[in-house]
Every structure is written in C-alpha cells, then in structure tokens.
Coordinates of all heavy atoms in Angstrom, one line a residue:
M1 N 6.7 -31.3 19.4 CA 7.2 -29.8 18.8 C 6.3 -29.4 17.8 O 6.0 -28.2 17.7 CB 8.7 -30.1 18.3 CG 9.3 -28.8 17.8 SD 11.0 -29.1 17.5 CE 11.0 -28.9 15.7
F2 N 5.8 -30.3 16.9 CA 5.0 -29.8 15.8 C 3.5 -30.0 16.1 O 2.6 -29.9 15.2 CB 5.3 -30.6 14.5 CG 6.7 -30.4 14.0 CD1 7.7 -31.2 14.1 CD2 6.9 -29.1 13.6 CE1 8.9 -31.1 13.7 CE2 8.2 -28.8 13.1 CZ 9.1 -29.8 13.2
T3 N 3.1 -30.4 17.4 CA 1.7 -30.4 17.7 C 1.1 -29.0 18.1 O 1.9 -28.2 18.6 CB 1.5 -31.3 18.9 OG1 2.3 -30.9 20.0 CG2 1.9 -32.8 18.6
P4 N -0.1 -28.8 17.7 CA -0.6 -27.4 18.0 C -0.9 -27.3 19.5 O -1.2 -28.1 20.2 CB -2.0 -27.5 17.2 CG -2.4 -28.9 17.1 CD -1.1 -29.6 17.0
K5 N -0.7 -26.0 19.9 CA -0.9 -25.7 21.4 C -2.3 -25.2 21.5 O -2.7 -24.1 21.0 CB 0.1 -24.6 21.8 CG 1.6 -25.0 21.5 CD 1.9 -26.2 22.4 CE 3.5 -26.4 22.2 NZ 3.8 -27.4 21.4
I6 N -3.2 -25.9 22.2 CA -4.5 -25.5 22.4 C -4.6 -24.9 23.8 O -4.1 -25.5 24.9 CB -5.4 -27.0 22.5 CG1 -5.2 -27.5 21.0 CG2 -6.8 -26.5 22.6 CD1 -6.0 -28.8 20.8
P7 N -5.2 -23.7 23.9 CA -5.3 -23.1 25.2 C -6.2 -24.0 26.2 O -6.9 -24.8 25.8 CB -6.0 -21.8 25.0 CG -6.7 -22.0 23.7 CD -5.9 -23.1 23.0
P8 N -6.0 -23.8 27.5 CA -6.8 -24.6 28.5 C -8.2 -24.3 28.3 O -8.6 -23.1 27.8 CB -6.1 -24.2 29.8 CG -5.1 -23.1 29.6 CD -4.9 -23.0 28.1
P9 N -9.0 -25.1 28.7 CA -10.5 -25.0 28.5 C -11.1 -23.7 29.3 O -12.1 -23.2 28.8 CB -11.2 -26.2 29.1 CG -10.0 -27.2 29.1 CD -8.8 -26.5 29.3
D10 N -10.4 -23.3 30.2 CA -11.1 -22.1 31.0 C -10.8 -20.7 30.4 O -11.5 -19.8 30.6 CB -10.5 -22.1 32.6 CG -9.0 -22.0 32.5 OD1 -8.3 -22.3 31.5 OD2 -8.5 -21.7 33.6
T11 N -9.8 -20.7 29.5 CA -9.5 -19.5 28.8 C -9.9 -19.4 27.4 O -10.1 -18.4 26.8 CB -8.0 -19.1 28.7 OG1 -7.3 -20.3 28.1 CG2 -7.5 -19.1 30.3
A12 N -10.3 -20.6 26.8 CA -10.7 -20.5 25.5 C -12.1 -20.0 25.3 O -13.0 -20.4 26.2 CB -10.6 -22.0 24.9
P13 N -12.4 -19.3 24.4 CA -13.9 -18.7 24.1 C -14.7 -19.8 23.7 O -14.4 -20.8 23.0 CB -13.7 -17.6 23.0 CG -12.5 -18.0 22.4 CD -11.6 -18.6 23.3
T14 N -15.9 -19.8 24.2 CA -16.9 -20.9 23.6 C -17.5 -20.5 22.2 O -17.2 -19.3 21.8 CB -18.2 -20.9 24.6 OG1 -18.8 -19.6 24.6 CG2 -17.7 -21.2 26.0
P15 N -18.0 -21.5 21.5 CA -18.3 -21.2 20.1 C -19.4 -20.1 20.0 O -19.5 -19.3 19.1 CB -18.9 -22.5 19.5 CG -18.2 -23.5 20.4 CD -18.0 -22.9 21.8
G16 N -20.3 -20.0 21.1 CA -21.2 -18.9 20.8 C -21.0 -17.6 21.3 O -21.6 -16.6 21.0
T17 N -19.8 -17.3 21.9 CA -19.4 -16.0 22.4 C -18.2 -15.6 21.5 O -17.5 -16.4 20.9 CB -19.1 -16.1 23.9 OG1 -17.9 -17.0 24.1 CG2 -20.2 -16.5 24.6
S18 N -17.9 -14.3 21.7 CA -16.8 -13.6 21.0 C -16.0 -12.8 22.1 O -16.6 -12.4 23.1 CB -17.2 -12.8 19.9 OG -16.2 -12.1 19.4
L19 N -14.7 -12.7 21.8 CA -13.9 -11.8 22.7 C -14.1 -10.4 22.4 O -13.9 -9.5 23.3 CB -12.4 -12.2 22.5 CG -12.0 -13.6 22.8 CD1 -10.5 -13.9 22.5 CD2 -12.2 -13.8 24.3
V20 N -14.7 -10.0 21.3 CA -15.0 -8.6 21.0 C -16.4 -8.3 21.4 O -17.3 -8.9 20.9 CB -14.8 -8.4 19.4 CG1 -15.1 -7.0 19.1 CG2 -13.4 -8.8 19.1
P21 N -16.6 -7.2 22.2 CA -18.0 -6.9 22.5 C -18.7 -6.3 21.3 O -18.2 -5.7 20.4 CB -17.8 -5.8 23.6 CG -16.5 -5.3 23.3 CD -15.7 -6.4 22.8
P22 N -20.1 -6.6 21.2 CA -20.8 -6.2 20.1 C -21.0 -4.7 20.1 O -21.1 -4.1 21.2 CB -22.2 -6.9 20.2 CG -22.3 -7.3 21.7 CD -20.9 -7.5 22.1
L23 N -21.2 -4.1 19.0 CA -21.3 -2.5 19.0 C -22.9 -2.3 18.8 O -23.5 -2.6 18.0 CB -20.6 -2.0 17.6 CG -19.1 -2.2 17.7 CD1 -18.6 -1.7 16.3 CD2 -18.3 -1.4 18.7
T24 N -23.3 -1.8 20.0 CA -24.6 -1.5 20.0 C -24.8 -0.1 20.4 O -24.0 0.7 20.9 CB -25.5 -2.3 21.1 OG1 -24.8 -2.1 22.3 CG2 -25.4 -3.8 20.8
G25 N -26.0 0.6 20.0 CA -26.2 1.9 20.3 C -25.6 3.0 19.3 O -25.7 4.2 19.6
L26 N -25.0 2.5 18.2 CA -24.3 3.4 17.4 C -25.4 3.8 16.3 O -26.1 3.2 15.8 CB -23.3 2.8 16.6 CG -22.0 2.5 17.4 CD1 -21.0 1.6 16.5 CD2 -21.4 3.7 17.9
V27 N -25.4 5.3 16.1 CA -26.4 5.8 15.2 C -25.6 6.6 14.3 O -24.7 7.6 14.7 CB -27.4 6.7 16.0 CG1 -28.3 7.5 14.9 CG2 -28.2 6.0 17.0
H28 N -25.7 6.3 13.1 CA -25.0 7.1 12.0 C -25.6 8.2 11.6 O -26.9 8.2 11.3 CB -24.8 6.2 10.8 CG -23.8 5.0 11.1 ND1 -22.5 5.1 11.2 CD2 -24.2 3.6 11.3 CE1 -22.0 3.9 11.5 NE2 -23.0 3.1 11.5
P29 N -25.0 9.4 11.4 CA -25.6 10.7 10.9 C -26.1 10.5 9.5 O -25.4 9.6 8.7 CB -24.6 11.7 11.1 CG -23.3 11.0 11.0 CD -23.7 9.7 11.6
P30 N -27.1 11.2 9.0 CA -27.4 11.0 7.5 C -26.3 11.5 6.6 O -25.5 12.5 7.0 CB -28.6 11.9 7.4 CG -28.6 12.8 8.5 CD -27.9 12.1 9.7
A31 N -26.3 11.1 5.5 CA -25.3 11.6 4.5 C -25.3 12.9 4.2 O -24.3 13.7 4.0 CB -25.3 10.7 3.3
C32 N -26.5 13.5 4.0 CA -26.7 14.9 3.8 C -27.8 15.5 4.6 O -28.6 14.8 5.2 CB -26.9 15.2 2.2 SG -28.5 14.6 1.7
T33 N -27.9 16.9 4.7 CA -29.0 17.5 5.5 C -29.8 18.3 4.7 O -30.2 19.4 5.1 CB -28.3 18.3 6.6 OG1 -27.4 19.3 6.1 CG2 -27.5 17.5 7.6
C34 N -30.1 17.9 3.4 CA -30.8 18.8 2.5 C -32.4 18.6 2.5 O -33.0 19.2 1.9 CB -30.4 18.6 1.1 SG -30.3 16.9 0.5
H35 N -32.7 17.5 3.3 CA -34.2 17.3 3.6 C -35.0 17.1 2.3 O -36.0 17.7 2.1 CB -34.9 18.4 4.4 CG -34.1 18.7 5.7 ND1 -34.0 17.7 6.7 CD2 -33.3 19.6 6.2 CE1 -33.3 18.3 7.6 NE2 -32.9 19.4 7.4
H36 N -34.5 16.2 1.5 CA -35.2 16.0 0.2 C -35.9 14.8 0.3 O -35.7 13.9 1.1 CB -34.3 16.1 -1.1 CG -33.3 15.1 -1.0 ND1 -33.4 13.8 -1.3 CD2 -31.9 15.2 -0.7 CE1 -32.2 13.1 -1.1 NE2 -31.3 13.9 -0.8
T37 N -36.9 14.4 -0.5 CA -37.7 13.3 -0.4 C -36.8 12.3 -1.5 O -36.3 12.7 -2.5 CB -39.1 13.4 -1.1 OG1 -39.1 13.9 -2.2 CG2 -39.9 14.3 0.1
P38 N -36.9 11.1 -1.2 CA -36.3 10.1 -2.0 C -37.0 10.0 -3.4 O -38.2 10.2 -3.4 CB -36.3 8.7 -1.4 CG -37.4 8.8 -0.3 CD -37.5 10.4 0.1
A39 N -36.2 9.8 -4.5 CA -36.7 9.8 -5.9 C -37.6 8.5 -6.0 O -37.1 7.4 -5.5 CB -35.6 9.8 -6.9
T40 N -38.6 8.6 -6.7 CA -39.3 7.4 -7.1 C -38.7 6.7 -8.2 O -38.3 7.4 -9.1 CB -40.8 7.7 -7.4 OG1 -40.8 8.6 -8.5 CG2 -41.5 8.4 -6.1
P41 N -38.7 5.4 -8.3 CA -38.1 4.7 -9.3 C -39.0 4.9 -10.7 O -40.0 4.9 -10.6 CB -38.1 3.2 -8.9 CG -39.1 3.2 -7.8 CD -39.2 4.5 -7.2
T42 N -38.2 5.1 -11.7 CA -38.9 5.3 -13.1 C -38.5 4.1 -14.0 O -37.5 3.5 -13.8 CB -38.5 6.7 -13.7 OG1 -37.0 6.6 -13.9 CG2 -38.8 7.8 -12.8
A43 N -39.2 4.0 -15.1 CA -38.9 3.0 -16.1 C -37.7 3.4 -16.8 O -37.4 4.5 -17.0 CB -40.1 3.0 -17.0
P44 N -36.8 2.4 -17.1 CA -35.6 2.7 -17.8 C -35.9 3.2 -19.2 O -37.0 3.0 -19.8 CB -35.0 1.4 -18.0 CG -36.1 0.4 -17.8 CD -37.0 1.1 -16.9
S45 N -35.1 4.2 -19.6 CA -35.3 4.9 -21.0 C -35.1 3.9 -22.0 O -34.2 3.0 -22.0 CB -34.4 6.0 -21.2 OG -33.0 5.6 -21.0
P46 N -35.7 3.9 -23.3 CA -35.5 3.0 -24.2 C -34.3 3.1 -25.0 O -33.7 4.3 -25.1 CB -36.8 3.3 -25.2 CG -37.1 4.7 -24.9 CD -36.9 5.0 -23.5
V47 N -33.7 2.2 -25.4 CA -32.3 2.2 -26.1 C -32.7 2.5 -27.6 O -33.5 2.0 -28.1 CB -31.7 0.8 -26.1 CG1 -30.4 0.8 -26.8 CG2 -31.4 0.3 -24.5
P48 N -31.9 3.5 -28.1 CA -32.2 3.9 -29.5 C -31.8 2.6 -30.4 O -30.9 2.0 -30.2 CB -31.3 5.1 -29.7 CG -30.3 4.9 -28.7 CD -30.9 4.3 -27.5
A49 N -32.6 2.6 -31.6 CA -32.4 1.6 -32.5 C -31.1 1.8 -33.3 O -30.7 3.0 -33.4 CB -33.5 1.5 -33.4
A50 N -30.4 0.8 -33.5 CA -29.2 0.8 -34.3 C -29.4 1.3 -35.7 O -30.4 0.9 -36.3 CB -28.4 -0.5 -34.2
S51 N -28.6 2.3 -36.2 CA -28.8 2.7 -37.5 C -28.3 1.8 -38.5 O -27.4 1.0 -38.3 CB -28.1 4.1 -37.8 OG -26.7 4.0 -37.5
A52 N -28.8 2.0 -39.7 CA -28.3 1.0 -40.9 C -27.0 1.4 -41.5 O -26.4 0.6 -42.1 CB -29.4 1.0 -42.0
R53 N -26.7 2.7 -41.3 CA -25.5 3.2 -41.9 C -24.2 2.8 -41.0 O -24.3 2.5 -39.8 CB -25.5 4.6 -42.1 CG -25.4 5.6 -40.8 CD -25.7 6.9 -41.2 NE -25.7 7.6 -39.9 CZ -25.4 8.9 -39.9 NH1 -25.0 9.5 -40.9 NH2 -25.6 9.5 -38.6
P54 N -23.0 2.7 -41.6 CA -21.9 2.3 -40.7 C -21.4 3.5 -39.9 O -21.7 4.8 -40.1 CB -20.7 2.1 -41.9 CG -21.2 2.8 -43.1 CD -22.7 2.8 -42.9
A55 N -20.8 3.2 -38.7 CA -20.4 4.1 -37.9 C -19.3 5.1 -38.3 O -19.2 6.3 -37.9 CB -20.0 3.5 -36.5
V56 N -18.3 4.4 -39.0 CA -17.2 5.2 -39.5 C -17.1 5.2 -41.1 O -17.4 4.1 -41.7 CB -15.9 4.5 -39.0 CG1 -14.7 5.4 -39.6 CG2 -15.9 4.6 -37.5
R57 N -17.1 6.4 -41.6 CA -16.9 6.4 -43.1 C -15.5 7.0 -43.5 O -15.2 7.9 -43.0 CB -18.0 7.4 -43.6 CG -19.3 6.9 -43.4 CD -20.3 7.8 -44.2 NE -21.8 7.3 -43.9 CZ -22.6 7.4 -44.8 NH1 -22.5 8.1 -45.9 NH2 -23.9 6.9 -44.5
F58 N -14.9 6.2 -44.3 CA -13.6 6.6 -44.8 C -13.7 7.4 -46.1 O -14.3 6.8 -47.1 CB -12.6 5.4 -45.0 CG -12.3 4.8 -43.6 CD1 -12.7 3.7 -43.3 CD2 -11.4 5.5 -42.8 CE1 -12.4 3.1 -41.9 CE2 -11.0 4.9 -41.6 CZ -11.5 3.7 -41.2
T59 N -13.1 8.5 -46.3 CA -13.0 9.2 -47.6 C -11.6 8.8 -48.1 O -10.8 8.2 -47.3 CB -13.0 10.6 -47.3 OG1 -12.0 11.1 -46.4 CG2 -14.3 11.1 -46.8
P60 N -11.3 9.0 -49.4 CA -10.0 8.7 -49.9 C -8.8 9.4 -49.1 O -7.8 8.9 -49.0 CB -10.0 9.1 -51.3 CG -11.6 9.0 -51.8 CD -12.3 9.5 -50.3
G61 N -9.1 10.7 -48.7 CA -8.2 11.4 -48.1 C -7.8 10.8 -46.6 O -6.8 10.7 -46.2
S62 N -8.9 10.2 -46.0 CA -8.7 9.8 -44.5 C -7.9 8.4 -44.7 O -7.1 8.0 -43.9 CB -10.0 9.6 -43.9 OG -10.8 8.8 -44.6
L63 N -8.3 7.6 -45.9 CA -7.6 6.4 -46.1 C -6.0 6.6 -46.3 O -5.3 5.8 -45.9 CB -8.3 5.6 -47.2 CG -9.5 5.0 -47.0 CD1 -10.2 4.4 -48.2 CD2 -9.3 3.9 -45.9
L64 N -5.7 7.7 -47.2 CA -4.4 8.0 -47.3 C -3.6 8.4 -46.0 O -2.5 8.0 -45.9 CB -4.4 9.1 -48.4 CG -3.0 9.6 -48.9 CD1 -2.3 8.4 -49.7 CD2 -3.0 10.7 -49.7
V65 N -4.3 9.2 -45.3 CA -3.7 9.6 -44.0 C -3.6 8.4 -43.2 O -2.5 8.3 -42.5 CB -4.6 10.8 -43.2 CG1 -4.2 10.9 -41.9 CG2 -4.5 12.0 -44.1
A66 N -4.5 7.4 -43.1 CA -4.4 6.3 -42.2 C -3.2 5.4 -42.7 O -2.4 4.9 -42.0 CB -5.7 5.5 -42.2
A67 N -3.1 5.2 -44.1 CA -2.1 4.4 -44.6 C -0.7 5.0 -44.3 O 0.3 4.4 -43.9 CB -2.3 4.2 -46.1
A68 N -0.7 6.4 -44.4 CA 0.7 7.0 -44.2 C 1.1 7.1 -42.7 O 2.2 6.8 -42.3 CB 0.6 8.7 -44.6
G69 N 0.1 7.1 -41.8 CA 0.3 7.0 -40.4 C 0.8 5.5 -40.1 O 1.6 5.4 -39.3
G70 N 0.2 4.5 -40.6 CA 0.5 3.2 -40.2 C 2.0 3.0 -40.8 O 2.7 2.2 -40.2
T71 N 2.2 3.4 -42.1 CA 3.6 3.3 -42.6 C 4.6 4.0 -41.6 O 5.7 3.4 -41.4 CB 3.6 3.8 -44.1 OG1 2.6 3.1 -44.8 CG2 5.0 3.5 -44.6
A72 N 4.3 5.3 -41.2 CA 5.2 5.8 -40.3 C 5.5 5.2 -39.0 O 6.6 5.0 -38.5 CB 4.7 7.3 -40.1
M73 N 4.4 4.6 -38.5 CA 4.6 3.9 -37.3 C 5.4 2.6 -37.4 O 6.2 2.3 -36.6 CB 3.2 3.5 -36.8 CG 3.1 2.8 -35.5 SD 2.6 3.9 -34.3 CE 1.6 2.9 -33.3
V74 N 5.2 1.9 -38.6 CA 6.0 0.7 -38.9 C 7.5 1.1 -38.8 O 8.4 0.4 -38.4 CB 5.4 0.0 -40.0 CG1 6.4 -1.1 -40.5 CG2 4.2 -0.7 -39.7
L75 N 7.7 2.1 -39.6 CA 9.2 2.7 -39.7 C 9.8 3.1 -38.6 O 10.9 2.6 -38.2 CB 9.2 3.8 -40.9 CG 8.9 3.4 -42.5 CD1 8.9 4.5 -43.2 CD2 9.9 2.3 -42.7
V76 N 9.0 3.8 -37.7 CA 9.6 4.2 -36.4 C 9.8 3.0 -35.5 O 11.0 2.9 -35.0 CB 8.7 5.3 -35.8 CG1 9.1 5.5 -34.3 CG2 8.7 6.5 -36.5
V77 N 9.0 2.1 -35.3 CA 9.1 0.9 -34.6 C 10.4 0.0 -35.1 O 11.1 -0.4 -34.4 CB 7.9 0.1 -34.4 CG1 8.1 -1.3 -33.8 CG2 6.8 0.9 -33.7
G78 N 10.4 -0.1 -36.3 CA 11.4 -0.9 -37.0 C 12.8 -0.2 -36.7 O 13.8 -0.8 -36.5
T79 N 12.9 1.0 -36.8 CA 14.0 1.8 -36.6 C 14.6 1.6 -35.1 O 15.8 1.4 -34.9 CB 14.0 3.4 -36.9 OG1 13.4 3.5 -38.3 CG2 15.2 4.1 -36.6
V80 N 13.7 1.7 -34.2 CA 14.0 1.6 -32.9 C 14.5 0.2 -32.6 O 15.5 -0.1 -32.0 CB 12.8 1.9 -31.9 CG1 12.9 1.4 -30.5 CG2 12.5 3.4 -31.9
L81 N 13.9 -0.8 -33.2 CA 14.2 -2.3 -32.8 C 15.6 -2.5 -33.6 O 16.4 -3.2 -32.9 CB 13.2 -3.2 -33.4 CG 11.8 -3.2 -32.6 CD1 10.9 -4.2 -33.4 CD2 12.1 -3.8 -31.2
V82 N 15.8 -2.0 -34.7 CA 17.1 -2.2 -35.4 C 18.2 -1.5 -34.6 O 19.4 -2.1 -34.5 CB 17.0 -1.7 -36.8 CG1 18.4 -1.6 -37.5 CG2 16.2 -2.7 -37.7
S83 N 18.0 -0.3 -34.1 CA 18.9 0.4 -33.4 C 19.4 -0.4 -32.0 O 20.6 -0.4 -31.7 CB 18.5 1.9 -33.1 OG 17.4 1.8 -32.1
M84 N 18.4 -1.0 -31.4 CA 18.5 -1.7 -30.2 C 19.4 -3.0 -30.5 O 20.5 -3.4 -29.8 CB 17.3 -2.1 -29.5 CG 16.5 -0.9 -28.9 SD 14.9 -1.5 -28.3 CE 15.3 -2.7 -27.2
L85 N 19.1 -3.6 -31.6 CA 19.9 -4.9 -32.0 C 21.3 -4.3 -32.5 O 22.3 -5.1 -32.0 CB 19.2 -5.4 -33.3 CG 19.8 -6.7 -33.8 CD1 19.8 -7.7 -32.8 CD2 19.2 -7.1 -35.2
L86 N 21.5 -3.3 -33.1 CA 22.8 -2.8 -33.4 C 23.6 -2.5 -32.1 O 24.8 -2.8 -32.1 CB 22.7 -1.5 -34.5 CG 23.9 -0.9 -34.9 CD1 24.7 -2.0 -35.7 CD2 23.7 0.2 -35.8
A87 N 23.0 -1.8 -31.2 CA 23.6 -1.6 -29.9 C 24.1 -2.8 -29.2 O 25.2 -2.8 -28.7 CB 22.7 -0.5 -29.0
T88 N 23.3 -3.7 -29.3 CA 23.7 -5.0 -28.5 C 24.8 -5.7 -29.3 O 25.8 -6.3 -28.8 CB 22.4 -6.0 -28.6 OG1 21.4 -5.4 -27.9 CG2 22.7 -7.3 -27.9
A89 N 24.8 -5.7 -30.7 CA 25.9 -6.2 -31.5 C 27.3 -5.5 -31.2 O 28.3 -6.1 -31.1 CB 25.5 -6.2 -33.0
I90 N 27.1 -4.2 -31.1 CA 28.3 -3.4 -31.0 C 28.9 -3.6 -29.5 O 30.0 -3.8 -29.3 CB 28.1 -1.8 -31.2 CG1 27.8 -1.6 -32.7 CG2 29.2 -1.0 -30.6 CD1 27.4 -0.2 -32.9
T91 N 28.0 -3.8 -28.5 CA 28.5 -4.0 -27.2 C 29.1 -5.5 -27.1 O 30.1 -5.6 -26.4 CB 27.3 -4.0 -26.2 OG1 26.7 -2.7 -26.4 CG2 27.7 -4.3 -24.8
A92 N 28.4 -6.5 -27.9 CA 29.0 -7.8 -27.8 C 30.5 -7.8 -28.3 O 31.4 -8.5 -28.1 CB 28.1 -8.9 -28.5
A93 N 30.5 -7.1 -29.5 CA 31.8 -7.0 -30.3 C 32.9 -6.4 -29.4 O 34.0 -6.8 -29.3 CB 31.7 -6.3 -31.5
S94 N 32.6 -5.3 -28.7 CA 33.5 -4.6 -27.8 C 34.0 -5.4 -26.7 O 35.1 -5.5 -26.3 CB 33.1 -3.3 -27.4 OG 31.9 -3.4 -26.5
V95 N 33.0 -6.2 -26.1 CA 33.4 -7.1 -24.9 C 34.2 -8.2 -25.5 O 35.2 -8.7 -24.9 CB 32.1 -7.7 -24.3 CG1 32.3 -8.8 -23.4 CG2 31.3 -6.6 -23.6
A96 N 34.0 -8.8 -26.7 CA 34.9 -9.8 -27.3 C 36.3 -9.3 -27.6 O 37.2 -10.0 -27.2 CB 34.3 -10.4 -28.6
V97 N 36.4 -8.0 -28.1 CA 37.8 -7.5 -28.1 C 38.5 -7.3 -26.8 O 39.7 -7.6 -26.7 CB 37.7 -6.1 -29.0 CG1 39.0 -5.3 -28.9 CG2 37.2 -6.4 -30.5
C98 N 37.8 -6.8 -25.8 CA 38.4 -6.6 -24.6 C 38.8 -8.0 -23.9 O 39.9 -8.0 -23.3 CB 37.4 -5.9 -23.7 SG 37.1 -4.3 -24.0
A99 N 38.0 -9.0 -24.2 CA 38.4 -10.3 -23.6 C 39.6 -10.8 -24.3 O 40.6 -11.3 -23.8 CB 37.3 -11.2 -23.9
V100 N 39.8 -10.5 -25.6 CA 41.0 -11.0 -26.3 C 42.2 -10.2 -25.9 O 43.3 -10.8 -25.7 CB 40.8 -10.9 -27.9 CG1 42.2 -11.0 -28.7 CG2 39.7 -11.9 -28.4
V101 N 42.1 -9.0 -25.7 CA 43.3 -8.1 -25.3 C 43.6 -8.6 -24.0 O 44.9 -8.8 -23.7 CB 42.9 -6.6 -25.4 CG1 43.9 -5.8 -24.5 CG2 42.6 -6.1 -26.8
L102 N 42.7 -8.8 -23.0 CA 43.0 -9.0 -21.7 C 43.7 -10.4 -21.5 O 44.5 -10.7 -20.9 CB 41.8 -9.1 -20.7 CG 41.3 -7.8 -20.2 CD1 40.1 -8.0 -19.6 CD2 42.3 -7.1 -19.4
R103 N 43.2 -11.4 -22.5 CA 43.8 -12.7 -22.6 C 45.2 -12.7 -23.0 O 46.2 -13.4 -22.6 CB 43.0 -13.6 -23.4 CG 43.4 -15.0 -23.4 CD 42.5 -15.8 -24.4 NE 43.1 -17.2 -24.5 CZ 42.6 -18.1 -25.3 NH1 41.6 -17.7 -26.2 NH2 43.2 -19.3 -25.4
S104 N 45.4 -11.8 -24.0 CA 46.9 -11.7 -24.5 C 47.7 -11.0 -23.5 O 49.0 -11.3 -23.5 CB 46.8 -10.9 -25.9 OG 46.5 -9.6 -25.6
L105 N 47.3 -10.0 -22.7 CA 48.1 -9.4 -21.8 C 48.4 -10.3 -20.6 O 49.5 -10.2 -20.1 CB 47.3 -8.2 -21.2 CG 47.3 -6.9 -22.2 CD1 46.4 -5.9 -21.5 CD2 48.7 -6.4 -22.5
L106 N 47.4 -11.2 -20.3 CA 47.7 -12.0 -19.1 C 48.5 -13.2 -19.5 O 49.3 -13.8 -18.7 CB 46.4 -12.6 -18.6 CG 45.5 -11.6 -17.9 CD1 44.1 -12.1 -17.6 CD2 46.2 -11.0 -16.6
N107 N 48.6 -13.7 -20.8 CA 49.5 -14.8 -21.2 C 50.8 -14.4 -21.6 O 51.7 -15.2 -21.9 CB 48.7 -15.5 -22.4 CG 47.4 -16.3 -21.8 OD1 47.4 -16.7 -20.6 ND2 46.6 -16.6 -22.7
R108 N 50.9 -13.2 -21.8 CA 52.3 -12.7 -22.4 C 53.5 -12.9 -21.6 O 54.5 -13.4 -22.0 CB 52.2 -11.2 -22.7 CG 53.5 -10.7 -23.3 CD 53.5 -9.4 -23.9 NE 52.7 -9.4 -25.0 CZ 52.3 -8.4 -25.7 NH1 52.5 -7.1 -25.4 NH2 51.4 -8.5 -26.9
P109 N 53.3 -12.8 -20.2 CA 54.5 -13.1 -19.3 C 54.9 -14.6 -19.4 O 56.1 -14.9 -19.2 CB 54.1 -12.6 -18.0 CG 52.9 -11.8 -18.1 CD 52.3 -12.1 -19.4
N110 N 54.0 -15.4 -19.6 CA 54.4 -16.8 -19.6 C 55.4 -17.2 -20.9 O 55.9 -18.2 -21.0 CB 53.1 -17.7 -19.8 CG 52.3 -17.6 -18.5 OD1 52.9 -17.2 -17.4 ND2 51.1 -17.9 -18.5
N111 N 55.1 -16.3 -21.9 CA 55.8 -16.7 -23.2 C 57.2 -16.2 -23.2 O 58.0 -16.5 -24.1 CB 54.9 -15.9 -24.4 CG 53.7 -16.7 -24.7 OD1 53.5 -17.8 -24.2 ND2 52.8 -15.9 -25.3
R112 N 57.6 -15.4 -22.3 CA 59.0 -14.7 -22.3 C 60.0 -15.8 -21.7 O 59.8 -16.5 -20.9 CB 59.0 -13.5 -21.6 CG 58.4 -12.3 -22.2 CD 58.8 -11.1 -21.6 NE 57.5 -10.3 -21.6 CZ 57.3 -9.2 -20.9 NH1 58.3 -8.7 -20.1 NH2 56.2 -8.5 -21.0

C-alpha cells in the first residue's frame, strides 16, 4: 500500500528526453522601435567627499520643539495604554458582578 507506483518501462520517459517539446523558432520583438544606438559604458562618477560638519544642527528652539514633541508623544501613548488597562479592569469587574448575580439567582430556589 505504501510502496511507490512506478510506471511501466514502455511509458516512462527516458532521462535524455522530455514530455514537453522544445520551443524553437520563437523570435521576440524588440522592446522599442526607436532605432537608437546602445550607450557606451562610462566610468562611474566620483563619490563626493564627506564634509567635516555635522549633518543636522540643533538650535535651542528646535531642541525645545523636539523635547515638547517627545513629551507629547509619551503622554499620548501613556494615556492610550492606561485607558486600555482601565477598560479591561472595568470589563473584568462587570463580568465578576454578573457571575455573582447569576450564581445567587441559580442557588436561590435551593434555599427555599
């Protein structure tokens, strides 16, 4: 049952042949018809030397804006995380209250 099924020797392809006929005689059209000559390769352009000055300069105003932006970002992310935690806590508390109420309602007929 688990042995591979090998085709009989008369239908199996030989290693040198393929079941798919080769594609011969296909001619691809050129990509464009603008009749231009191919460009000659040129030497690569030199890389500009790195300057001695820093790429970014901070002024006192830009540092103040960056600090205010970072503070605002931290406050917004903190507010979102705290609100998600609060929503989870409120949901858990309401599910616990519902469980206690359902338990008392289901156990009440036994106490009478």
Side-chain angles (χ1 to χ4, degrees):
M1 183 168 109
F2 295 108
T3 59
K5 305 293 187 263
I6 300 174
D10 59 341
T11 59
T14 60
T17 62
S18 173
L19 295 177
V20 179
L23 298 174
T24 57
L26 290 178
V27 177
H28 295 286
C32 67
T33 58
C34 56
H35 306 295
H36 60 80
T37 59
T40 58
T42 60
S45 61
V47 178
S51 62
R53 63 183 182 156
V56 178
R57 292 186 180 213
F58 289 111
T59 61
S62 65
L63 284 175
L64 184 65
V65 168
T71 304
M73 184 100 138
V74 166
L75 289 176
V76 166
V77 170
T79 303
V80 168
L81 292 176
V82 167
S83 64
M84 289 171 60
L85 181 64
L86 184 62
T88 305
I90 290 173
T91 304
S94 64
V95 167
V97 168
C98 289
V100 168
V101 169
L102 282 174
R103 184 177 175 191
S104 67
L105 287 175
L106 292 174
N107 286 336
R108 182 168 290 172
N110 296 337
N111 292 339
R112 285 191 225 170

